[in-house]
Amino acid sequence: MLGGHTAESSGPTEQFEALYLDADDTQQRVPWDQLPDMLDGLHRAARSFPSYRGQRNFPGWYWSATLRRRIGFESWVQRDHLVALDRDPSVIGIAVRPFWLLWTEEEPRHPTDTRNSGTGTKPRRHAPDFLALLEHGEVLVLDTQPTEPIRPAAQEAFEVTARACATLGWRYTIAERLDELTVTNQKWLAGYRHPRCFTPHIAERLLEVFTRPRPLMDGAELTGDPLATLPVLYHLLWTQQLQADLSLTLSDRTIVQSATPTPPAKTPTTVALVNISPRGLVTMTHDG
């Protein structure tokens, strides 16, 4: 579950800026504290997703049910977290690589450099993997970490990003690779994420049938012809109006139950955390 304590505020000498692409694909550089005013326009990836022969990661496009449009991803690990965010009912906006965080760090002078003494500065930047807007107006900045241990340069970038997010009241989280079975189940359900898979009268009957927990296929057959009811059933599992344990293999014997009529959690529940406690978030408009 995404949650935890807020990062400590940055020191008084730490200055941050943001770089993003506007509607005309023109780079805009703004002071960090002005970025919340620009969030409605952060629909373009500030960092491109290169594609070349022999590369180890696999970029591509994903149609988001949350945004009602395609959104790019840079790797399969990133795609898996994108699917998890898209499925979470508390997430109402998603953006991938929407800005560069810019800062400078002190760099010691080389001992043989007699022209200068003390330390110099070196520009640094980091583009977080995701921005997610939650239904209560909270903003999440999320980085994925596919490998262990975290490289020192990446660790530093994560820590700086956490401090920068804290200054805006955003939360920041690092997520590890999702387990393969959860990914497989969520990818299957994603095949039924489009609204065309929703039929109101069948959905109403399924929610009634699964008021009592029962095997998936039993409920589908009680509702009607499985050819008609199964797509709606999987769509309801995608939207989490029906619930099942996706840490187990999804099958005809999976126990399914209607969701308890309580408000959804404020934060996504499908992301595992590593190393740095969750600390920050971002705003996007809901496109449809």
Side-chain angles (χ1 to χ4, degrees):
M1 177 175 180
L2 298 184
H5 39 272
T6 303
E8 295 181 0
S9 297
S10 61
T13 61
E14 198 162 24
Q15 300 294 322
F16 303 116
E17 291 182 295
L19 189 70
Y20 69 95
L21 292 180
D22 63 17
D24 298 321
D25 284 334
T26 302
Q27 283 192 341
Q28 300 292 339
R29 184 167 181 161
V30 297
W32 179 247
D33 60 2
Q34 293 182 18
L35 186 61
D37 298 330
M38 316 295 174
L39 290 174
D40 287 349
L42 300 185
H43 297 291
R44 289 169 170 77
R47 172 179 168 181
S48 62
F49 305 145
S51 178
Y52 53 89
R53 184 186 299 275
Q55 71 183 104
R56 298 180 62 183
N57 60 298
F58 298 94
W61 292 94
Y62 170 81
W63 187 87
S64 165
T66 301
L67 301 176
R68 298 292 196 270
R69 61 178 173 82
R70 293 194 309 163
I71 187 170
F73 58 84
E74 190 172 12
S75 67
W76 285 350
V77 171
Q78 196 178 79
R79 177 206 58 191
D80 295 342
H81 285 287
L82 178 56
V83 172
L85 288 170
D86 195 34
R87 181 172 177 258
D88 194 298
S90 69
V91 175
I92 61 174
I94 308 168
V96 178
R97 303 285 196 190
F99 65 83
W100 285 101
L101 169 65
L102 310 176
W103 74 97
T104 59
E105 67 176 16
E106 291 188 351
E107 184 178 38
R109 298 291 186 185
H110 193 277
T112 60
D113 187 354
T114 59
R115 296 169 298 175
N116 300 287
S117 60
T119 60
T121 59
K122 179 175 65 174
R124 292 289 308 276
R125 65 178 186 172
H126 174 63
D129 286 331
F130 296 106
L131 295 178
L133 174 64
L134 306 187
E135 60 183 357
H136 297 285
E138 293 180 286
V139 178
L140 172 67
V141 178
L142 176 69
D143 269 312
T144 60
Q145 178 56 36
T147 60
E148 289 287 350
I150 296 178
R151 292 175 287 108
Q155 178 75 27
E156 179 187 359
F158 295 159
E159 291 174 353
V160 171
T161 304
R163 293 197 299 270
C165 288
T167 67
L168 300 181
W170 297 348
R171 290 186 300 113
Y172 176 70
T173 286
I174 298 175
E176 66 184 1
R177 185 190 297 268
L178 296 173
D179 73 88
E180 292 186 9
L181 191 52
T182 298
V183 167
T184 298
N185 288 335
Q186 290 191 146
K187 284 171 60 179
W188 174 264
L189 295 179
Y192 299 88
R193 66 190 182 278
H194 198 281
R196 63 173 171 261
C197 296
F198 179 79
T199 305
H201 72 276
I202 295 177
E204 182 178 0
R205 176 58 179 155
L206 283 167
L207 292 171
E208 179 182 345
V209 165
F210 284 107
T211 301
R212 180 174 67 82
R214 65 178 76 243
L216 183 151
M217 186 57 74
D218 287 359
E221 291 176 339
L222 281 172
T223 303
D225 182 355
L227 289 176
T229 61
L230 280 174
V232 184
L233 192 161
Y234 290 134
H235 180 80
L236 294 177
L237 284 170
W238 168 262
T239 61
Q240 300 192 44
Q241 295 177 71
L242 291 177
Q243 294 182 340
D245 185 356
L246 296 187
S247 66
L248 304 174
T249 300
L250 187 63
S251 71
D252 60 338
R253 299 184 299 276
T254 296
I255 301 300
V256 176
Q257 182 178 15
S258 297
T260 304
T262 55
K266 287 187 177 182
T267 51
T269 57
T270 52
V271 182
L273 307 179
V274 295
N275 288 61
I276 295 180
S277 299
R279 308 169 194 180
L281 272 146
V282 178
T283 39
M284 293 296 300
T285 55
H286 181 25
D287 186 8

